[in-house]
Amino acid sequence: MSDSFQCRSTFDLKGKKITFYDLSKLPNQSAVNKLPYSLKILLENLLRCEDGVSVQKKDIEAILNWDPKKNAEDEIAFTPSRVILQDFTGVPAAVDLAAMREAMHALGGDPKKINPLSPVELVIDHSVMVDSFGNVKAFAKNTAIEFERNHERYAFLRWAQTAFDNFRVVPPGTGIVHQVNLEYLARVVFCTTQPSGEQLAYPDTLVGTDSHTTMINGLGVLGWGVGGIEAEAAMLGQHITMLIPEVIGFKLTGKLPEGTTATDLVLTVTEILRKKGVVGKFVEFFGDGLDHLPLADRATIANMAPEYGATCGIFPIDDETLRFMRLSGRDAEQLALTEQYAKKQGMFRTTGCPEAVYNATLSLDLGTIEPCLAGPKRPQDRIALSKVKANFEEHLKNDKLTPSPQTVTFETGGSAELDHGAVVIAAITSCTNTSNPSVMLAAGLLAKKAIERGLRSKPWVKTSLAPGSQVVTDYLDKAHLSTYLEQLGFYLVGYGCTTCIGNSGPLPNAVSQAIKAGNLSVSAVLSGNRNFEGRIHPEVRNSYLASPPLVVAYALAGTVNIDLQSEPLGHNDKGEAIYLKDIWPSPQEIQDMMESSIQASMFNTRYRHVFEGPAEWQQLEIPKGERFVWDEKSTYVKNPPYFEGMTRTPPPIQDIQQAYVLAKLGDSVTTDHISPAGNIAKNSPAAAYLVAHGVQPADFNSYGSRRGNHEVMLRGTFANIRLKNLLAPNTEGNWTRYLPSGETLSIYDASMRYQAEHLPLIILAGKEYGTGSSRDWAAKGTRLLGVQAVIAESFERIHRSNLIGMGILPLQFLPGESSEQLGLSGEERYDIPLAKIAPRGQLTVTATGKQGTATFTTLVRIDTPKELEYYQQGGILPFVLRQLAG
């Protein structure tokens, strides 16, 4: 490490001498003091990691001379302190590392060089499904089914834990990755022993293979989601290259009014920032409104940064940060380290402190927030609670669905009429809300009041409770609220993402049959962060995001076709109408319950043995050896083909010539559309593959759980049941036209034909291509389908990076241009010469069709020289492998 600015300094921490890179010793202190909090963290990162090669003095000077009035042009190399994974993205990441060891061996190198150099922590939280619900044994049943389904994957992860250094796994049933990170894994400030013996302090920073890694920004930790490919490179010592980001300051004033929650706030923030346009930017929250914003509420806002499109949504360290660290069981020395370090670096917020300068600023008075939901298809589509009914009726009208009520007879006896708008799923789930004690206790209190007033959940509602942390169970039990939630059907089903990731499990047969018979437009209400088409459940057309207490309220109402602010939730046995206002808990009730029910000892007890796991985990047989022994019969874990035929020297890139369009897509195509995580349809190419390999439909599991098998994932790419490919009009799902013959085929089958004839492929798309999850399989599957380029009106940050990581060229139409504006039908053949390719440069595309030839200019969305190097080598992993192989 270099120290060209001579800014190393020390401070005393309880008798220990702590070394750090002191920002107060840098020149131009007036500019340093005005830097946004997040840029101070990046500045320290560059100072500490300066090596004269990847990180140079000029990079540090670029931040020192940062001008918020200018567009970012300077590339820097960010070195995260650690990497965090979850199992849906972590399994394919570990599979790739195992495959790289095989490739390293084939190249004559040392397989042990493929090993994480910084701490990597993987939390298994994405695999539990809501198979059993509404009963006291649901958690135990779902856990048993989870281990039975995922035996191969879990055994593989246990092998990875023993085969790789710096690789730890938090077993199933512990909690959701972002909450475990917030409550336990996050250091906030690191202090490590250097080879020289000195104790070096520096900010905790990270990247994660889940887009909601940003939740940790609420604790003042800088981190964001990346694709698994980029995370693997970071594990192996590669820097994260990026342009110095624009930083949007978001000033918060006032405090939330009675009757509103952090969920209402974050849905409002999401709407505002989507309208502003913050894709690829940092958002930094400041202002005295933070004095009234608990850490859990900050984490809720930070969590949904992907939904408002930002790279991160960060809060500074302050007294509230320290309070939460103390509550969650961090020791006194860690608290003292965090406080001293942050104050010495000018990173500690106090009331009325001077404001930083930003590229742009927004403001919001917390007192203006009103109760709301978001939906039915996008998280940024906020709806005031009073307008949900009108919004649903408008969507029903647009879908041209007429009333068709169906009678449902229940196994437990009795019957009911199911109609459009029926809430068939009410799930308290996901990382966003389920460990925020104010909204979880509010849900429990609302349930208690509902029971006391004689209300019950409607019998057609599939209810579930999946907290982000085991501590939630402890404080709900201590508050004596679990019993009321259970009486309304909200029994514990697991500690994991469940419904929010699409692991909602099957609906009861009678309900499912009624939906199909009446072609009903039914709904899900969940306390999650994602509600994209086809994500929550294949039979549910409308999905609404709501706070946990509103999830309970809609379970009581049984429909979204109701105005909860003016119509009764229901009637009790006495015939009395009960309204939402009658059972909504007051802020004081919630605060009193929080103070009496939550203790630091709960966190210490739950996390004391966090890496041990249940008996089922400990008893898994672990393969041995530094190289994984691949089982050819496995349908979960297979050696991927990315490195087949790889040479030490990359071949020169070739022009894309006479390419066909595999799919022509519209706006807001999400990574769920490209690579769904949930249900594997029984008539899909992936299902055909599994059946051919002896897997029965009952054991298909989900696409997310099969991400260690490229054969399944390849067949599942563009397999979302709601995908609309304009090349195959009047279809929905995994369909396209094989253009040489005009046949309508599955996208997978058409791709195989194109590849057999050595015909290259491209994708045409609209705005916000690749929004949503960080899943790398949206790029991996696209590449394995033979796609060489994607031309879109705009890209979401993570997916653009993932495309480059897999050697796919992202090109962007010029402003104001699109497929439609240029008259492109998608039936043309496309030529893209690559001789002049350059970061953020331009390339000319020629499209030749029946109507003649069209030539247009595109922007190269390879943003940095390092990204160009990745692309030229066929992707990040081949680049890293060649480097390590020498």
Side-chain angles (χ1 to χ4, degrees):
M1 293 182 184
S2 171
D3 188 12
S4 57
F5 283 92
Q6 301 296 306
C7 61
R8 285 162 65 90
S9 188
T10 62
F11 64 88
D12 180 79
L13 179 70
K14 297 187 175 182
K16 293 181 182 178
K17 182 180 177 183
I18 306 296
T19 302
F20 71 113
Y21 284 79
D22 190 349
L23 300 187
S24 71
K25 289 193 171 185
L26 290 168
N28 197 6
Q29 273 297 296
S30 61
V32 172
N33 292 337
K34 291 179 181 177
L35 282 175
Y37 171 79
S38 52
L39 290 192
K40 287 181 180 178
I41 294 176
L42 289 181
L43 177 58
E44 187 283 338
N45 195 275
L46 293 172
L47 282 167
R48 179 166 39 86
C49 300
E50 182 191 356
D51 58 8
V53 182
S54 297
V55 182
Q56 302 178 29
K57 184 178 180 180
K58 66 178 179 62
D59 303 325
I60 299 166
E61 291 172 335
I63 292 188
L64 286 174
N65 298 322
W66 179 70
D67 186 346
K69 296 178 182 178
K70 292 183 179 179
N71 291 330
E73 295 179 350
D74 296 292
E75 178 190 351
I76 59 172
F78 170 59
T79 308
S81 306
R82 59 190 176 98
V83 176
I84 196 162
L85 317 171
Q86 39 91 334
D87 53 305
F88 267 19
T89 50
V91 167
V95 166
D96 288 351
L97 293 179
M100 289 178 77
R101 283 195 168 180
E102 297 297 311
M104 178 69 86
H105 176 75
L107 290 172
D110 180 4
K112 287 184 179 179
K113 285 187 176 181
I114 307 299
N115 195 80
L117 299 178
S118 56
V120 177
E121 289 142 343
L122 185 153
V123 181
I124 300 175
D125 66 352
H126 273 54
S127 297
V128 61
M129 286 194 181
V130 189
D131 290 289
S132 180
F133 72 98
N135 65 83
V136 72
K137 295 181 179 179
F139 174 59
K141 288 179 180 178
N142 290 331
T143 300
I145 295 170
E146 177 186 358
F147 272 93
E148 183 181 346
R149 281 186 181 137
N150 297 286
H151 175 87
E152 288 182 49
R153 298 170 66 238
Y154 292 173
F156 172 73
L157 288 177
R158 289 212 67 192
W159 168 82
Q161 190 174 25
T162 59
F164 297 114
D165 297 330
N166 294 322
F167 191 97
R168 298 193 297 176
V169 178
V170 175
T174 305
I176 297 176
V177 55
H178 311 304
Q179 193 64 29
V180 175
N181 193 18
L182 194 75
E183 293 179 354
Y184 180 75
L185 296 175
R187 286 73 159 174
V188 188
V189 175
F190 263 95
C191 188
T192 58
T193 304
Q194 301 301 293
S196 63
E198 70 178 352
Q199 300 291 303
L200 181 66
Y202 51 95
D204 180 6
T205 57
L206 71 154
V207 292
T209 58
D210 188 290
S211 54
H212 295 107
T213 298
T214 52
M215 187 171 188
I216 203 62
N217 301 161
L219 199 58
V221 175
L222 181 61
W224 56 83
V226 297
I229 312 155
E230 199 170 356
E232 291 159 39
M235 291 181 215
L236 297 172
Q238 295 296 304
H239 302 283
I240 304 289
T241 59
M242 58 191 289
L243 298 175
I244 296 176
E246 291 185 42
V247 186
I248 307 300
F250 201 127
K251 187 172 186 176
L252 300 177
T253 59
K255 62 180 181 179
L256 291 174
E258 184 171 345
T260 60
T261 68
T263 310
D264 303 317
L265 172 58
V266 74
L267 293 178
T268 304
V269 167
T270 299
E271 180 187 43
I272 292 170
L273 288 172
R274 267 294 170 186
K275 288 179 180 177
K276 170 70 177 174
V278 294
V279 173
K281 301 175 185 180
F282 284 10
V283 173
E284 190 165 305
F285 296 91
F286 70 102
D288 291 347
L290 271 61
D291 293 341
H292 309 290
L293 207 60
L295 198 291
D297 290 9
R298 301 178 188 189
T300 299
I301 296 169
N303 177 282
M304 286 188 70
E307 279 63 52
Y308 44 84
T311 301
C312 69
I314 195 163
F315 292 78
I317 295 171
D318 62 6
D319 286 330
E320 175 61 17
T321 313
L322 300 177
R323 186 204 66 79
F324 179 83
M325 291 177 69
R326 190 177 298 110
L327 175 66
S328 54
R330 268 73 168 198
D331 61 41
E333 185 169 314
Q334 187 65 33
L335 281 161
L337 171 68
T338 300
E339 182 173 9
Q340 282 198 54
Y341 181 86
K343 287 181 175 178
K344 288 181 179 297
Q345 294 285 50
M347 296 179 183
F348 196 92
R349 185 197 79 89
T350 55
T351 302
C353 62
E355 295 177 0
V357 294
Y358 300 98
N359 293 94
T361 56
L362 300 166
S363 62
L364 176 65
D365 178 357
L366 300 179
T368 63
I369 301 300
E370 61 180 336
C372 58
L373 280 74
K377 297 175 182 178
R378 299 192 308 174
Q380 63 262 43
D381 295 335
R382 186 181 68 89
I383 318 161
L385 183 61
S386 60
K387 296 179 180 177
V388 172
K389 179 177 182 178
N391 177 275
F392 170 76
E393 290 177 341
E394 182 65 27
H395 279 278
L396 196 64
K397 181 180 177 182
N398 292 339
D399 290 339
K400 298 178 181 177
L401 295 174
T402 55
S404 182
Q406 300 292 311
T407 300
V408 179
T409 302
F410 302 104
E411 292 181 4
T412 53
S415 62
E417 195 173 78
L418 209 64
D419 203 350
H420 295 307
V423 173
V424 295
I425 292 176
I428 301 176
T429 177
S430 106
C431 53
T432 308
N433 292 288
T434 53
S435 295
N436 184 328
S438 65
V439 292
M440 293 301 289
L441 289 168
L445 285 166
L446 188 140
K448 179 176 184 291
K449 291 170 180 284
I451 292 292
E452 290 170 347
R453 297 296 293 268
L455 292 183
R456 293 294 185 273
S457 297
K458 295 297 186 287
W460 57 80
V461 184
K462 182 173 185 177
T463 47
S464 60
L465 171 64
S469 163
Q470 295 177 346
V471 175
V472 177
T473 298
D474 293 336
Y475 64 66
L476 284 174
D477 285 349
K478 185 172 177 57
H480 306 293
L481 295 177
S482 296
T483 179
Y484 297 106
L485 286 165
E486 290 171 355
Q487 288 178 63
L488 294 182
F490 289 94
Y491 286 87
L492 176 69
V493 296
Y495 297 100
C497 302
T498 64
T499 303
C500 189
I501 193 64
N503 287 356
S504 49
L507 296 175
N509 284 335
V511 173
S512 179
Q513 289 168 9
I515 294 170
K516 292 171 186 173
N519 191 24
L520 298 180
S521 181
V522 296
S523 302
V525 181
L526 64 148
S527 62
N529 45 46
R530 296 262 164 84
N531 56 346
F532 302 132
E533 288 184 297
R535 178 185 177 96
I536 302 306
H537 192 283
E539 295 171 7
V540 174
R541 286 181 180 268
N542 316 290
S543 297
Y544 294 90
L545 307 182
S547 65
L550 281 180
V551 171
V552 176
Y554 275 102
L556 297 170
T559 181
V560 295
N561 198 13
I562 182 176
D563 181 352
L564 290 187
Q565 293 197 323
S566 63
E567 297 179 61
L569 286 167
H571 296 76
N572 60 21
D573 292 341
K574 298 177 182 178
E576 298 170 332
I578 310 298
Y579 292 83
L580 181 62
K581 64 183 180 181
D582 298 331
I583 60 173
W584 193 268
S586 71
Q588 192 60 51
E589 286 178 289
I590 297 169
Q591 185 61 37
D592 290 346
M593 195 65 78
M594 288 172 62
E595 291 176 0
S596 64
S597 303
I598 306 173
Q599 300 168 342
S601 59
M602 294 175 175
F603 295 88
N604 291 327
T605 300
R606 287 294 191 174
Y607 286 110
R608 186 172 296 135
H609 306 292
V610 67
F611 296 105
E612 293 182 8
E616 297 96 327
W617 173 259
Q618 296 175 22
Q619 292 164 8
L620 287 170
E621 292 186 17
I622 310 172
K624 301 189 185 313
E626 65 187 38
R627 288 165 55 202
F628 186 67
V629 180
W630 305 94
D631 181 358
E632 291 301 318
K633 296 179 181 178
S634 174
T635 57
Y636 277 101
V637 179
K638 293 186 78 68
N639 191 355
Y642 314 133
F643 309 109
E644 289 178 359
M646 182 177 156
T647 57
R648 284 179 177 261
T649 304
I653 58 174
Q654 302 291 322
D655 294 342
I656 300 172
Q657 297 180 324
Q658 292 293 287
Y660 281 100
V661 177
L662 182 63
K664 184 185 178 190
L665 306 168
D667 295 340
S668 298
V669 171
T670 71
T671 50
D672 278 87
H673 286 115
I674 304 168
S675 183
N679 180 63
I680 298 175
K682 292 180 177 143
N683 60 348
S684 66
Y689 167 86
L690 290 171
V691 170
H693 286 76
V695 180
Q696 298 303 309
D699 299 319
F700 280 176
N701 211 333
S702 65
Y703 281 114
S705 67
R706 297 277 181 183
R707 284 182 184 163
N709 183 338
H710 61 276
E711 296 287 3
V712 173
M713 298 309 296
L714 164 63
R715 290 162 172 80
T717 304
F718 295 108
N720 187 298
I721 59 170
R722 300 286 179 236
L723 182 74
K724 295 178 179 66
N725 180 1
L726 302 179
L727 282 183
N730 303 316
T731 67
E732 199 173 44
N734 183 28
W735 299 104
T736 192
R737 261 190 305 140
Y738 178 67
L739 294 171
S741 67
E743 296 171 81
T744 297
L745 300 173
S746 74
I747 285 178
Y748 168 75
D749 288 331
S751 159
M752 292 301 103
R753 279 209 203 174
Y754 283 121
Q755 291 194 63
E757 297 176 27
H758 306 288
L759 297 171
L761 297 168
I762 67 168
I763 299 289
L764 294 178
K767 300 180 183 69
E768 298 178 352
Y769 184 72
T771 187
S773 172
S774 66
R775 65 194 61 169
D776 53 345
W777 262 110
K780 286 178 175 176
T782 300
R783 181 62 180 173
L784 292 179
L785 286 175
V787 173
Q788 296 186 20
V790 177
I791 309 176
E793 292 178 60
S794 65
F795 291 90
E796 290 291 287
R797 175 186 62 86
I798 298 176
H799 187 61
R800 181 199 66 82
S801 176
N802 279 339
L803 290 173
I804 296 165
M806 285 307 298
I808 300 171
L809 178 61
L811 297 175
Q812 191 164 305
F813 291 109
L814 294 180
E817 294 187 351
S818 64
S819 296
E820 286 67 31
Q821 193 272 335
L822 292 167
L824 304 176
S825 68
E827 298 178 0
E828 304 85 1
R829 304 286 293 274
Y830 288 76
D831 290 294
I832 310 173
L834 300 179
K836 296 182 179 180
I837 190 169
R840 300 181 77 82
Q842 295 185 344
L843 287 177
T844 299
V845 179
T846 302
T848 305
K850 294 177 182 178
Q851 305 302 317
T853 299
T855 300
F856 57 97
T857 301
T858 59
L859 301 174
V860 177
R861 286 308 315 277
I862 294 175
D863 289 352
T864 69
K866 179 61 75 174
E867 288 183 344
L868 179 59
E869 199 171 356
Y870 291 154
Y871 174 71
Q872 290 169 330
Q873 295 232 11
I876 292 179
L877 299 186
F879 169 84
V880 173
L881 190 56
R882 288 187 178 105
Q883 275 202 329
L884 294 175

